[in-house]
Amino acid sequence: MSTSAPVAQRPTPETTKKPRRSSFNEGTGRLAAALLSPTLVVLVLVVVYPILSALRESLYQSGQRIDEAGFVVQGSEFVGLDNYSAIFSGETGERFWNAFYNTTFFTVTCVVLETVLGVLMALVMHKAFKGRGIVRASILVPWAIPTVVSALLWKWIFQADGIANDILGTQILWSTEGWQSVLSVIIADTWKTAPFIGLLVLAGLQTIPDEVYEAAKVDGANPWQTFVRITMPLVKPALLVAVLFRILDTLRIFDLPFVLVGPNKESVETLSILAFLEANQTRYGPAAAYATLLFIYVAVVAYVFVKLLGADVFGDAVQRKPKKNGKNGGKNGRRKQEAPGAALMGANAGGGGGGA
């Protein structure tokens, strides 16, 4: 008489179910809050509080004024949005739009020139040649010089009896109203900040493996094709970050035109200079209104830039997982995961056939 072996009992779902891991540890959360609290306090003091104070100040009008009875009144008075409405009307409006145009023009022109020169500087600094360290140091010197010192240096160059007029053989008054003052600011700003873009692009170039260029050389790519199809796409994230920083910095340009050309110059007057001149005349309400509008302008430009090019700036680190669709969800998911490998094998096979 034969006896059958005992059949193993199938594990129930309750026994095979793994214990859930808590995604939040209360102790870790408290430690993180304690460690981040000093940084948050500093940010509130140096960022949030000044912004709220400027917004509040823009709704008031301070200084001496004459009331309806003809008496001189000293102090601050709530005027609501009158400071903002006064900016866009009359001669004040013309001055504001002129400063807005100058700010935008300097931003577009300087950033374009700095980007082109910065990429060229990065390519030169990335090449291996004798004396590369000296070349890198000399290129980065303008960025290390403070802006005010750089403005004074270029002011000496652009004097009536300065080096610029001696080289050109003319007598151009660079610090007077006209195109020459605009050109002097563009030259000085490009000379100072193009190395910044070159430095960030150089950091991106150093992350590209040499095997990529060797493969392109084997495939017969010329230098221009290598630059357009390999170098630029791979350094694009670093380049976009550098361009974003330069755009935000140039929109707030103040010290360079103020020191190089001087105040109350219509051709180089920017929004920052306009806000400073209003505050210098103790008109803090209109000055805060100008600063608030400039802050909104900078925030909108930064938002649009990151919104349009955010994937390129921050990288495609987050990948969506394939959704399960019924019983075939696992199979579909495996097919989706195997598809890139199959495509890569096909591409390699095609490339090998072409190479042969």
Side-chain angles (χ1 to χ4, degrees):
M1 183 175 180
S2 61
T3 59
S4 59
V7 179
Q9 186 179 3
R10 290 185 177 181
T12 61
E14 296 180 356
T15 59
T16 59
K17 191 175 182 180
K18 296 181 180 180
R20 285 187 177 181
R21 292 183 179 181
S22 177
S23 59
F24 176 76
N25 190 334
E26 186 176 356
T28 305
R30 291 179 179 177
L31 178 61
L35 294 176
L36 291 176
S37 57
T39 303
L40 296 177
V41 171
V42 173
L43 289 176
V44 169
L45 291 177
V46 303
V47 177
V48 178
Y49 177 73
I51 291 175
L52 295 179
S53 298
L55 290 174
R56 178 189 176 278
E57 188 66 30
S58 66
L59 303 178
Y60 286 81
Q61 191 172 11
S62 58
Q64 293 184 355
R65 61 190 179 279
I66 300 177
D67 59 4
E68 298 178 354
F71 293 98
V72 177
V73 181
Q74 182 75 23
S76 300
E77 179 185 4
F78 180 79
V79 294
L81 299 177
D82 291 348
N83 290 327
Y84 294 95
S85 60
I87 290 177
F88 300 99
S89 60
E91 296 181 358
T92 305
E94 296 178 359
R95 191 175 183 183
F96 168 78
W97 288 116
N98 175 72
F100 182 85
Y101 169 78
N102 292 337
T103 302
T104 307
F105 178 77
F106 283 137
T107 301
V108 174
T109 306
C110 293
V111 171
V112 170
L113 293 176
E114 291 162 10
T115 302
V116 175
L117 293 178
V119 172
L120 294 177
M121 291 178 180
L123 294 175
V124 171
M125 290 187 291
H126 187 62
K127 292 293 182 181
F129 57 91
K130 188 176 181 180
R132 184 175 63 173
I134 299 176
V135 174
R136 287 185 176 183
S138 60
I139 289 178
L140 296 178
V141 163
W143 174 248
I145 298 177
T147 306
V148 175
V149 177
S150 176
L152 291 174
L153 172 65
W154 283 99
K155 187 175 183 179
W156 172 70
I157 294 174
F158 287 127
Q159 285 181 351
D161 55 348
I163 301 175
N165 286 336
D166 289 342
I167 295 175
L168 297 175
T170 58
Q171 289 294 326
I172 300 176
L173 301 178
W174 296 92
S175 60
T176 57
E177 289 284 359
W179 62 268
Q180 63 275 6
S181 59
V182 177
L183 183 60
S184 65
V185 173
I186 293 174
I187 293 175
D189 187 71
T190 304
W191 175 83
K192 166 129 181 46
T193 53
F196 170 74
I197 296 182
L199 183 63
L200 294 186
V201 175
L202 176 62
L205 287 174
Q206 292 179 343
T207 61
I208 302 176
D210 295 335
E211 291 79 5
V212 178
Y213 292 106
E214 293 176 359
K217 188 176 181 180
V218 170
D219 291 339
N222 56 40
W224 175 252
Q225 291 175 339
T226 303
F227 174 75
V228 174
R229 297 181 180 271
I230 295 178
T231 304
M232 287 305 297
L234 293 179
V235 302
K236 188 177 179 181
L239 179 61
L240 290 178
V241 172
V243 171
L244 176 61
F245 286 168
R246 283 304 306 140
I247 289 175
L248 301 183
D249 194 21
T250 313
L251 286 173
R252 300 177 287 105
I253 187 171
F254 166 76
D255 41 4
L256 184 62
F258 188 86
V259 176
L260 177 58
V261 182
N264 298 315
K265 297 297 178 62
E266 184 179 352
S267 56
V268 297
E269 190 172 61
T270 61
L271 292 175
S272 298
I273 294 177
L274 203 56
F276 170 80
L277 294 177
E278 290 292 324
N280 195 36
Q281 299 295 326
T282 66
R283 294 192 289 266
Y284 301 115
Y290 283 119
T292 303
L293 292 177
L294 178 59
F295 169 76
I296 295 173
Y297 185 30
V298 173
V300 169
V301 171
Y303 175 79
V304 172
F305 192 92
V306 174
K307 191 70 175 178
L308 294 178
L309 303 172
D312 293 326
V313 172
F314 298 105
D316 300 329
V318 180
Q319 298 179 357
R320 295 182 180 180
K321 296 181 178 180
K323 296 181 180 179
K324 293 184 178 181
N325 189 4
K327 296 182 179 179
N328 297 327
K331 296 181 179 179
N332 294 336
R334 286 194 295 271
R335 289 175 184 174
K336 291 180 180 179
Q337 293 176 359
E338 293 173 357
L344 181 59
M345 292 175 63
N348 292 336

mmCIF file of all heavy atoms in Angstrom, residues 245-265:
data_model
loop_
_atom_site.group_PDB
_atom_site.id
_atom_site.type_symbol
_atom_site.label_atom_id
_atom_site.label_comp_id
_atom_site.label_asym_id
_atom_site.label_seq_id
_atom_site.Cartn_x
_atom_site.Cartn_y
_atom_site.Cartn_z
ATOM 1 N N PHE A 245 21.756 82.902 -15.110
ATOM 2 C CA PHE A 245 22.389 83.748 -14.093
ATOM 3 C C PHE A 245 22.756 85.121 -14.658
ATOM 4 O O PHE A 245 22.563 86.145 -14.007
ATOM 5 C CB PHE A 245 23.633 83.060 -13.531
ATOM 6 C CG PHE A 245 23.330 81.925 -12.602
ATOM 7 C CD1 PHE A 245 24.331 81.050 -12.200
ATOM 8 C CD2 PHE A 245 22.047 81.712 -12.137
ATOM 9 C CE1 PHE A 245 24.055 80.001 -11.343
ATOM 10 C CE2 PHE A 245 21.757 80.664 -11.286
ATOM 11 C CZ PHE A 245 22.757 79.807 -10.890
ATOM 12 N N ARG A 246 23.275 85.136 -15.874
ATOM 13 C CA ARG A 246 23.679 86.399 -16.479
ATOM 14 C C ARG A 246 22.463 87.264 -16.814
ATOM 15 O O ARG A 246 22.513 88.490 -16.700
ATOM 16 C CB ARG A 246 24.499 86.144 -17.740
ATOM 17 C CG ARG A 246 25.912 85.724 -17.476
ATOM 18 C CD ARG A 246 26.650 86.721 -16.605
ATOM 19 N NE ARG A 246 26.580 88.071 -17.161
ATOM 20 C CZ ARG A 246 26.414 89.159 -16.450
ATOM 21 N NH1 ARG A 246 26.274 89.101 -15.140
ATOM 22 N NH2 ARG A 246 26.384 90.351 -17.039
ATOM 23 N N ILE A 247 21.366 86.652 -17.241
ATOM 24 C CA ILE A 247 20.161 87.425 -17.525
ATOM 25 C C ILE A 247 19.651 88.091 -16.254
ATOM 26 O O ILE A 247 19.342 89.297 -16.245
ATOM 27 C CB ILE A 247 19.080 86.521 -18.143
ATOM 28 C CG1 ILE A 247 19.463 86.131 -19.578
ATOM 29 C CG2 ILE A 247 17.723 87.213 -18.144
ATOM 30 C CD1 ILE A 247 18.507 85.145 -20.214
ATOM 31 N N LEU A 248 19.567 87.326 -15.181
ATOM 32 C CA LEU A 248 19.070 87.890 -13.921
ATOM 33 C C LEU A 248 20.011 88.961 -13.383
ATOM 34 O O LEU A 248 19.559 89.946 -12.772
ATOM 35 C CB LEU A 248 18.899 86.772 -12.893
ATOM 36 C CG LEU A 248 17.949 85.639 -13.278
ATOM 37 C CD1 LEU A 248 17.821 84.636 -12.140
ATOM 38 C CD2 LEU A 248 16.580 86.188 -13.661
ATOM 39 N N ASP A 249 21.309 88.791 -13.586
ATOM 40 C CA ASP A 249 22.274 89.770 -13.095
ATOM 41 C C ASP A 249 22.238 91.047 -13.924
ATOM 42 O O ASP A 249 22.312 92.158 -13.382
ATOM 43 C CB ASP A 249 23.666 89.159 -13.110
ATOM 44 C CG ASP A 249 24.667 89.972 -12.300
ATOM 45 O OD1 ASP A 249 24.220 90.748 -11.432
ATOM 46 O OD2 ASP A 249 25.874 89.838 -12.521
ATOM 47 N N THR A 250 22.122 90.919 -15.241
ATOM 48 C CA THR A 250 22.125 92.101 -16.105
ATOM 49 C C THR A 250 20.836 92.896 -15.974
ATOM 50 O O THR A 250 20.848 94.118 -16.156
ATOM 51 C CB THR A 250 22.345 91.679 -17.573
ATOM 52 O OG1 THR A 250 23.437 90.766 -17.642
ATOM 53 C CG2 THR A 250 22.676 92.894 -18.440
ATOM 54 N N LEU A 251 19.727 92.239 -15.684
ATOM 55 C CA LEU A 251 18.479 92.973 -15.468
ATOM 56 C C LEU A 251 18.581 93.920 -14.279
ATOM 57 O O LEU A 251 17.861 94.922 -14.215
ATOM 58 C CB LEU A 251 17.317 91.992 -15.253
ATOM 59 C CG LEU A 251 16.800 91.257 -16.490
ATOM 60 C CD1 LEU A 251 15.770 90.208 -16.094
ATOM 61 C CD2 LEU A 251 16.190 92.239 -17.494
ATOM 62 N N ARG A 252 19.481 93.625 -13.353
ATOM 63 C CA ARG A 252 19.659 94.481 -12.169
ATOM 64 C C ARG A 252 20.898 95.359 -12.289
ATOM 65 O O ARG A 252 21.422 95.823 -11.277
ATOM 66 C CB ARG A 252 19.768 93.605 -10.917
ATOM 67 C CG ARG A 252 18.557 92.746 -10.662
ATOM 68 C CD ARG A 252 18.719 91.846 -9.461
ATOM 69 N NE ARG A 252 19.629 90.733 -9.718
ATOM 70 C CZ ARG A 252 20.865 90.659 -9.256
ATOM 71 N NH1 ARG A 252 21.371 91.645 -8.532
ATOM 72 N NH2 ARG A 252 21.625 89.613 -9.511
ATOM 73 N N ILE A 253 21.385 95.582 -13.495
ATOM 74 C CA ILE A 253 22.627 96.319 -13.694
ATOM 75 C C ILE A 253 22.503 97.736 -13.129
ATOM 76 O O ILE A 253 21.518 98.441 -13.362
ATOM 77 C CB ILE A 253 22.999 96.354 -15.183
ATOM 78 C CG1 ILE A 253 24.377 96.974 -15.385
ATOM 79 C CG2 ILE A 253 21.938 97.062 -16.012
ATOM 80 C CD1 ILE A 253 24.896 96.840 -16.803
ATOM 81 N N PHE A 254 23.495 98.126 -12.338
ATOM 82 C CA PHE A 254 23.466 99.453 -11.702
ATOM 83 C C PHE A 254 24.860 100.074 -11.629
ATOM 84 O O PHE A 254 25.097 101.179 -12.143
ATOM 85 C CB PHE A 254 22.884 99.337 -10.285
ATOM 86 C CG PHE A 254 23.105 100.557 -9.443
ATOM 87 C CD1 PHE A 254 22.345 101.702 -9.638
ATOM 88 C CD2 PHE A 254 24.090 100.578 -8.469
ATOM 89 C CE1 PHE A 254 22.554 102.841 -8.871
ATOM 90 C CE2 PHE A 254 24.314 101.701 -7.700
ATOM 91 C CZ PHE A 254 23.544 102.837 -7.903
ATOM 92 N N ASP A 255 25.789 99.362 -10.982
ATOM 93 C CA ASP A 255 27.064 99.991 -10.644
ATOM 94 C C ASP A 255 27.913 100.306 -11.861
ATOM 95 O O ASP A 255 28.592 101.341 -11.889
ATOM 96 C CB ASP A 255 27.849 99.099 -9.674
ATOM 97 C CG ASP A 255 27.760 97.631 -10.039
ATOM 98 O OD1 ASP A 255 27.161 97.330 -11.085
ATOM 99 O OD2 ASP A 255 28.275 96.791 -9.281
ATOM 100 N N LEU A 256 27.885 99.451 -12.880
ATOM 101 C CA LEU A 256 28.739 99.689 -14.038
ATOM 102 C C LEU A 256 28.360 100.958 -14.795
ATOM 103 O O LEU A 256 29.205 101.835 -14.990
ATOM 104 C CB LEU A 256 28.720 98.467 -14.961
ATOM 105 C CG LEU A 256 29.646 98.539 -16.166
ATOM 106 C CD1 LEU A 256 31.100 98.635 -15.727
ATOM 107 C CD2 LEU A 256 29.449 97.320 -17.067
ATOM 108 N N PRO A 257 27.110 101.146 -15.247
ATOM 109 C CA PRO A 257 26.781 102.408 -15.931
ATOM 110 C C PRO A 257 26.810 103.615 -15.000
ATOM 111 O O PRO A 257 27.128 104.727 -15.441
ATOM 112 C CB PRO A 257 25.374 102.157 -16.487
ATOM 113 C CG PRO A 257 24.807 101.080 -15.654
ATOM 114 C CD PRO A 257 25.967 100.218 -15.261
ATOM 115 N N PHE A 258 26.516 103.413 -13.726
ATOM 116 C CA PHE A 258 26.501 104.540 -12.787
ATOM 117 C C PHE A 258 27.901 105.096 -12.593
ATOM 118 O O PHE A 258 28.092 106.316 -12.529
ATOM 119 C CB PHE A 258 25.919 104.091 -11.444
ATOM 120 C CG PHE A 258 25.674 105.209 -10.481
ATOM 121 C CD1 PHE A 258 24.477 105.916 -10.513
ATOM 122 C CD2 PHE A 258 26.625 105.565 -9.544
ATOM 123 C CE1 PHE A 258 24.241 106.964 -9.624
ATOM 124 C CE2 PHE A 258 26.412 106.593 -8.654
ATOM 125 C CZ PHE A 258 25.214 107.302 -8.698
ATOM 126 N N VAL A 259 28.894 104.227 -12.478
ATOM 127 C CA VAL A 259 30.265 104.680 -12.257
ATOM 128 C C VAL A 259 30.930 105.057 -13.579
ATOM 129 O O VAL A 259 31.649 106.059 -13.657
ATOM 130 C CB VAL A 259 31.077 103.595 -11.522
ATOM 131 C CG1 VAL A 259 32.530 104.018 -11.365
ATOM 132 C CG2 VAL A 259 30.459 103.301 -10.168
ATOM 133 N N LEU A 260 30.711 104.273 -14.623
ATOM 134 C CA LEU A 260 31.391 104.493 -15.889
ATOM 135 C C LEU A 260 30.903 105.753 -16.602
ATOM 136 O O LEU A 260 31.705 106.570 -17.061
ATOM 137 C CB LEU A 260 31.200 103.267 -16.787
ATOM 138 C CG LEU A 260 31.801 103.346 -18.196
ATOM 139 C CD1 LEU A 260 33.302 103.594 -18.146
ATOM 140 C CD2 LEU A 260 31.498 102.070 -18.972
ATOM 141 N N VAL A 261 29.586 105.927 -16.695
ATOM 142 C CA VAL A 261 29.012 107.059 -17.438
ATOM 143 C C VAL A 261 28.516 108.141 -16.495
ATOM 144 O O VAL A 261 28.729 109.330 -16.719
ATOM 145 C CB VAL A 261 27.880 106.575 -18.367
ATOM 146 C CG1 VAL A 261 27.305 107.739 -19.168
ATOM 147 C CG2 VAL A 261 28.391 105.493 -19.312
ATOM 148 N N GLY A 262 27.844 107.742 -15.422
ATOM 149 C CA GLY A 262 27.349 108.719 -14.468
ATOM 150 C C GLY A 262 25.829 108.712 -14.381
ATOM 151 O O GLY A 262 25.139 108.162 -15.253
ATOM 152 N N PRO A 263 25.260 109.324 -13.321
ATOM 153 C CA PRO A 263 23.809 109.374 -13.165
ATOM 154 C C PRO A 263 23.183 110.421 -14.090
ATOM 155 O O PRO A 263 23.874 111.247 -14.691
ATOM 156 C CB PRO A 263 23.636 109.747 -11.693
ATOM 157 C CG PRO A 263 24.862 110.552 -11.371
ATOM 158 C CD PRO A 263 25.971 109.947 -12.197
ATOM 159 N N ASN A 264 21.849 110.336 -14.162
ATOM 160 C CA ASN A 264 21.054 111.295 -14.950
ATOM 161 C C ASN A 264 21.496 111.331 -16.417
ATOM 162 O O ASN A 264 21.461 112.390 -17.049
ATOM 163 C CB ASN A 264 21.144 112.697 -14.332
ATOM 164 C CG ASN A 264 20.589 112.746 -12.934
ATOM 165 O OD1 ASN A 264 19.514 112.207 -12.649
ATOM 166 N ND2 ASN A 264 21.314 113.391 -12.029
ATOM 167 N N LYS A 265 21.903 110.186 -16.943
ATOM 168 C CA LYS A 265 22.224 110.051 -18.363
ATOM 169 C C LYS A 265 21.128 109.203 -18.999
ATOM 170 O O LYS A 265 20.998 108.020 -18.701
ATOM 171 C CB LYS A 265 23.593 109.405 -18.556
ATOM 172 C CG LYS A 265 24.742 110.230 -17.986
ATOM 173 C CD LYS A 265 24.874 111.568 -18.698
ATOM 174 C CE LYS A 265 25.983 112.418 -18.098
ATOM 175 N NZ LYS A 265 27.303 111.805 -18.218
#
